[in-house]
Amino acid sequence: MPDTFMHLTSMSLQGGILILFLLLLGRFAGRRISPQLRYALWLLPVLRLLVPFSFSSIFSLMNLFQKPLEPALPAPQLTAFPNITPYVSVPSAFPAESAPAIPSAPASVPMPSTHPAQSVHSSLPEFTGILFWIWLGGTAAVFSYMVFVNLRFYGGVHHARTRVDCTCSLPVYLVGGLPSPCLSGLIRPAILINDTALQKPGVLAHVLRHEFAHYAAGDQWWALLRNLCCAVHWFNPLVWVAAFRSRNDCELACDARALRGFSQREREAYGMALLAVLHPGSGVHAPRPTP
């Protein structure tokens, strides 16, 4: 358990460094990067935060700092020295039975070490073990809350939705009081719309185009990865900041895909349609599980 927590801390630290890099990149070069690429770059910290191992490469920069192995020295060879008199065995003056016994030195009794460094090292595994259980409890609490919020949302939507007949490859449902249209579901995704999307002419087509762009990019699975990162690394504030910023980049990338090939007038109509269907603070108060 202590090793697991130390490895998790290392993953969170490395992921935080990548998040800081992407935040600085978006701050100073955000307009020069396409929304799709800026959103796709968030996959780098996600992989570092969730994948429990890393790939070593011969092209890694860490190889430049490794000390090269020194060549082994040749073993010394014995040479003949003719001027040295060879050793001659001389018989002992005492017989083997009467040879005096040489007293041996008493064995030293090991004394317990009282070095402070050893006591610190001995208490370190116990401390990291406590931190591991604190992390596990926080992860279970955050994950349970996310599951509860999503189940409450699905339960409220399931009893209030009505099927809408329209030309769309995904099922479309009308949910009264929904704050804004959204894509809902992982295995069987569906588009949920509110009353405003049907009341105003021309709005429904733009709303469906926007939500279907989310579906084509698999953004519902990206939302699941964001939730997992927040649950596992709940103690890292940079992960929560990255989840918020990546969700904004998700919407910008979706709009860029939906507006591809549009004229300036069509872009303005698209933006006005999405603003018209937003009703924050009304109806279903649970957060949307997917973008």
Side-chain angles (χ1 to χ4, degrees):
M1 290 183 296
D3 295 339
T4 302
F5 180 77
M6 296 302 295
H7 184 64
L8 178 72
T9 305
S10 177
M11 292 169 55
S12 187
L13 178 61
Q14 296 173 10
I17 294 175
L18 291 174
I19 292 172
L20 285 177
F21 171 75
L22 293 181
L23 292 177
L24 293 176
L25 183 65
R27 175 66 177 83
F28 295 103
R31 297 182 179 180
R32 301 170 187 164
I33 304 175
S34 65
Q36 295 92 331
L37 178 59
R38 190 164 67 247
Y39 181 53
L41 287 176
W42 288 109
L43 182 62
L44 297 178
V46 168
L47 291 177
R48 179 62 283 186
L49 292 171
L50 296 182
V51 178
F53 55 88
S54 59
F55 299 94
S56 60
S57 173
I58 59 176
F59 302 103
S60 176
L61 295 178
M62 296 303 296
N63 295 332
L64 300 177
F65 301 98
Q66 293 181 357
K67 184 179 180 181
L69 297 178
E70 299 180 356
L73 297 177
Q77 299 180 358
L78 298 178
T79 57
F81 296 93
N83 296 330
I84 298 178
T85 305
Y87 172 77
V88 179
S89 177
V90 180
S92 175
F94 301 95
E97 294 78 3
S98 61
I102 301 176
S104 58
S108 59
V109 179
M111 300 298 294
S113 175
T114 59
H115 198 276
Q118 293 186 358
S119 60
V120 172
H121 289 299
S122 60
S123 61
L124 184 60
E126 181 180 356
F127 178 70
T128 53
I130 296 175
L131 292 179
F132 172 81
W133 288 110
I134 294 176
W135 163 80
L136 188 61
T139 300
V142 174
F143 184 77
S144 300
Y145 173 76
M146 291 180 175
V147 171
F148 167 75
V149 167
N150 282 270
L151 290 179
R152 185 180 65 174
F153 179 85
Y154 290 135
V157 165
H158 181 75
H159 298 286
R161 65 182 186 178
T162 304
R163 184 68 180 264
V164 177
D165 295 331
C166 58
T167 58
C168 184
S169 57
L170 292 177
V172 180
Y173 295 96
L174 173 64
V175 179
L178 189 68
S180 63
C182 64
L183 177 68
S184 177
L186 292 174
I187 306 302
R188 296 179 179 179
I191 298 177
L192 306 180
I193 62 175
N194 52 19
D195 300 327
T196 309
L198 292 178
Q199 293 174 357
K200 296 186 177 181
V203 172
L204 181 59
H206 291 299
V207 170
L208 296 180
R209 185 180 183 89
H210 177 84
E211 300 302 335
F212 191 82
H214 276 307
Y215 169 74
D219 288 337
Q220 68 272 22
W221 297 102
W222 284 85
L224 177 62
L225 292 179
R226 283 198 299 267
N227 291 340
L228 289 178
C229 288
C230 291
V232 175
H233 300 271
W234 56 268
F235 55 89
N236 191 343
L238 289 175
V239 175
W240 295 93
V241 174
F244 176 77
R245 292 293 298 271
S246 63
R247 179 162 182 163
N248 292 341
D249 290 340
C250 173
E251 294 297 330
L252 295 176
C254 178
D255 291 335
R257 291 189 298 267
L259 292 173
R260 190 173 301 165
F262 272 28
S263 63
Q264 183 61 31
R265 172 173 289 186
E266 291 172 334
R267 289 172 178 268
E268 294 176 357
Y270 172 87
M272 295 301 295
L274 295 186
L275 291 176
V277 296
L278 295 178
H279 300 288
S282 62
V284 183
H285 296 284
R288 297 186 305 175
T290 56

